Amino acid sequence: MNEWQVVVVGAGNAGLCAGMAALQAGARSVAVLEAAPKETRGGNSSLTKSMRFPWPDSRYISALLRGPHDHRVDELLAGRSRYTEQEYFDDWLRVSGSRVDTALVESIVRRSSETVRWMSESGQRWVPRSDPLPGDFPVVLDGGGQGLQGRNFACFERLGGTVLYQSAVTDIEVADPGRYVLRGAGPAFPIICDALVLASGGFEADARMRARHLGEQWREVKLRGVPFNKGAPLAAATALGADTAGNWERCHVTPQGVHLPDHLLPGQMHLSHGLARYAFPRGIVVNRDGRRFFDESSEYSSLAYVTLGQRIMDQPGKIVYQIFDNRVIEAGVLPKGYLTDPASVVAPSLEDGARRLSLDAANLVNEVRLLAGEKRLDDPPFLFVPAVAGLTFTYGGLAVNVNAEVLGGGEPIDGLYAAGVIVGGLYDEGYPAGTALMAGSVLGRRAGTSAARHSLGVRGAA
């Protein structure tokens, strides 16, 4: 049986942050288990690019950018002097809905700036966001999620950590109080460890669990993420007596181009971003019946795109159409993918576009007549861009406290921790862009530090 002081299940950003923190806290043998082969390692984190965090002033952003980009800070911030912890917290709660663990969210927000500094010291880099939409966060990770994960793996291994590939956990048993035996598929099993961190994502890649918790219409849905997150570690933890938290009937799902494949793999980040259909506030969104069903301008797209993604699944045929007039087209503000999408249609009139896409033209024209002000569509030609839903991760998960300790019966389970979106209580309905990556970093660092201390027999707060 393979023995480790700390085992982390999941090689996304949260898991690698946990592994790095455990080694920095004194653990001598730390293994991260990756369900995927090495060539497709990194999980959903490898497909992202944005992390939301508070910043006190422009000097903070300048320090993150370093080098050749720091002179662009004033341009990037567009007149904003700061993004406070209170603003961050308010955005999170307003968009996410009421069924969230406010103490947990607040602790993540309060630890965000410190965690970003730690990540920077560990080698992470940020660059200016290119072609931002209104409300977008001004900086993104250098190289996006692929760059993030490449640097995470390098730092973890440089610190002495081990990654075990093709090691999918299917069962967890208690060996002794605070020690665990892990079983699964792959040569690494069985494994015994002195402390265990679960960072293996949600159950988004399992059709039966989607149908059970999200609804039957979710049995068939495209993944805007990897196919490895099947929820087995989550189920194994609940079988041990772990409490659950969060909204198990909701998920992070976004509007995507209709050519989104059934799932994505690390290395396809460019495809993920090219298929994003987040420019909807510049036009209108209708379903096949030609009806608007969503207030496109209620929030910046970075705060409303998941709400639209969820609503797509309730529309006829689970498809919608974003429509823009010539003023928007000529302004050059639409992402390149909108104009190069072979499924998009440019039509001389609303009726012609509706006919070509089999929409109800009379309903569409009537909806447009009701528009006023900046939302009017009266300058032909018109661009019709179809969009479908792409599921990224599920919201329901394990209950943890602010120290990332998994709870059972309301009390911490000895030696068991969780980080990333396997944690429930972070989201209820909507999703503020970039918060999951930040939550995974904060909770991963906290879980890894606590797990190391537990494995070393150190008692008290980390």
Side-chain angles (χ1 to χ4, degrees):
M1 184 174 289
N2 293 311
E3 296 190 20
W4 301 85
Q5 283 181 300
V6 176
V7 166
V8 181
V9 180
N13 172 67
L16 291 170
C17 284
M20 289 185 285
L23 290 162
Q24 291 171 340
R28 295 177 299 278
S29 62
V30 179
V32 167
L33 307 187
E34 167 64 283
K38 184 174 182 178
E39 58 269 21
T40 52
R41 69 182 185 176
N44 286 353
S45 300
S46 66
L47 297 166
T48 187
K49 64 180 178 181
S50 180
M51 174 183 289
R52 182 182 295 260
F53 51 85
W55 43 275
D57 52 45
S58 61
R59 290 174 297 178
Y60 185 92
I61 299 295
S62 181
L64 289 181
L65 292 175
R66 307 174 187 172
H69 301 296
D70 56 6
H71 70 283
R72 295 187 53 199
V73 170
D74 290 339
E75 170 197 341
L76 292 170
L77 300 186
R80 296 192 67 181
S81 60
R82 60 184 178 173
Y83 183 50
T84 67
E85 291 180 351
Q86 190 61 50
E87 288 175 303
Y88 189 5
F89 183 65
D90 290 345
D91 282 346
W92 195 319
L93 294 193
R94 185 183 73 257
V95 175
S96 294
S98 59
R99 288 171 54 188
V100 297
D101 184 334
T102 55
L104 181 61
V105 170
E106 184 176 20
S107 74
I108 291 167
V109 170
R110 302 300 179 224
R111 292 170 175 163
S112 292
S113 294
E114 174 193 354
T115 301
V116 168
R117 289 191 185 96
W118 171 74
M119 296 177 72
S120 180
E121 291 167 359
S122 299
Q124 287 303 339
R125 302 192 301 270
W126 283 260
V127 295
R129 180 187 288 272
S130 60
D131 303 320
L133 292 166
D136 277 347
F137 207 70
V139 296
V140 295
L141 288 151
D142 189 7
Q146 290 168 252
L148 164 77
Q149 287 295 78
R151 292 185 289 272
N152 275 339
F153 277 107
C155 182
F156 175 65
E157 292 170 338
R158 186 169 60 250
L159 289 169
T162 300
V163 183
L164 301 175
Y165 296 102
Q166 294 180 282
S167 298
V169 172
T170 57
D171 185 61
I172 303 170
E173 302 170 8
V174 177
D176 300 299
R179 302 183 77 228
Y180 297 92
V181 174
L182 284 67
R183 304 187 189 280
F189 299 102
I191 292 171
I192 190 167
C193 59
D194 298 325
L196 176 60
V197 180
L198 301 179
S200 52
F203 56 85
E204 60 272 7
D206 187 278
R208 288 178 296 179
M209 290 188 74
R210 291 198 305 265
R212 175 185 172 190
H213 295 291
L214 303 178
E216 189 60 36
Q217 75 270 32
W218 292 87
R219 186 180 293 274
E220 298 296 331
V221 64
K222 296 182 181 221
L223 295 181
R224 183 181 160 262
V226 300
F228 308 112
N229 299 343
K230 296 182 179 295
L234 173 59
T238 59
L240 282 179
D243 296 338
T244 60
N247 189 343
W248 285 66
E249 298 175 355
R250 287 286 187 179
C251 57
H252 181 293
V253 57
T254 71
Q256 298 285 302
V258 295
H259 294 295
L260 180 71
D262 290 340
H263 62 259
L264 296 174
L265 292 171
Q268 295 182 320
M269 187 183 73
H270 65 289
L271 181 60
S272 170
H273 297 162
L275 290 166
R277 298 293 176 259
Y278 301 167
F280 52 86
R282 301 187 184 278
I284 67 169
V285 185
V286 301
N287 59 22
R288 277 183 171 174
D289 296 331
R291 300 288 190 188
R292 290 176 72 208
F293 58 91
F294 173 77
D295 185 354
E296 306 91 350
S297 301
S298 60
E299 294 275 9
Y300 290 129
S301 64
S302 62
L303 298 176
Y305 70 126
V306 168
T307 303
L308 174 56
Q310 292 168 348
R311 296 289 303 277
I312 290 174
M313 292 295 290
D314 297 325
Q315 305 309 307
K318 295 190 279 192
I319 189 170
V320 302
Y321 302 84
Q322 299 178 15
I323 307 175
F324 310 89
D325 72 3
N326 192 54
R327 276 186 298 268
V328 175
I329 300 171
E330 288 296 316
V333 293
L334 292 176
K336 181 180 178 181
Y338 273 70
L339 302 172
T340 58
D341 187 343
S344 294
V345 166
V346 177
S349 67
L350 293 169
E351 294 88 343
D352 182 68
R355 177 185 58 78
R356 291 167 63 182
L357 292 168
S358 300
L359 310 185
D360 188 309
N363 286 344
L364 173 60
V365 170
N366 186 60
E367 291 280 8
V368 172
R369 285 198 188 105
L370 298 175
L371 299 173
E374 294 183 0
K375 292 300 299 180
R376 69 189 189 280
L377 266 70
D378 57 9
D379 183 18
F382 301 94
L383 175 66
F384 289 69
V385 183
V388 296
L391 172 57
T392 314
F393 64 85
T394 46
Y395 287 172
L398 301 176
V400 305
N401 61 20
V402 297
N403 294 318
E405 297 171 295
V406 175
L407 304 179
E411 297 295 328
I413 297 176
D414 199 20
L416 185 61
Y417 309 89
V421 297
I422 196 173
V423 171
L426 298 176
Y427 309 104
D428 177 18
E429 295 185 4
Y431 172 83
T435 54
L437 205 59
M438 189 73 259
S441 303
V442 170
L443 291 175
R445 185 187 183 196
R446 192 69 173 174
T449 302
S450 298
R453 289 170 62 87
H454 175 85
S455 73
L456 295 168
V458 179
R459 301 303 176 192

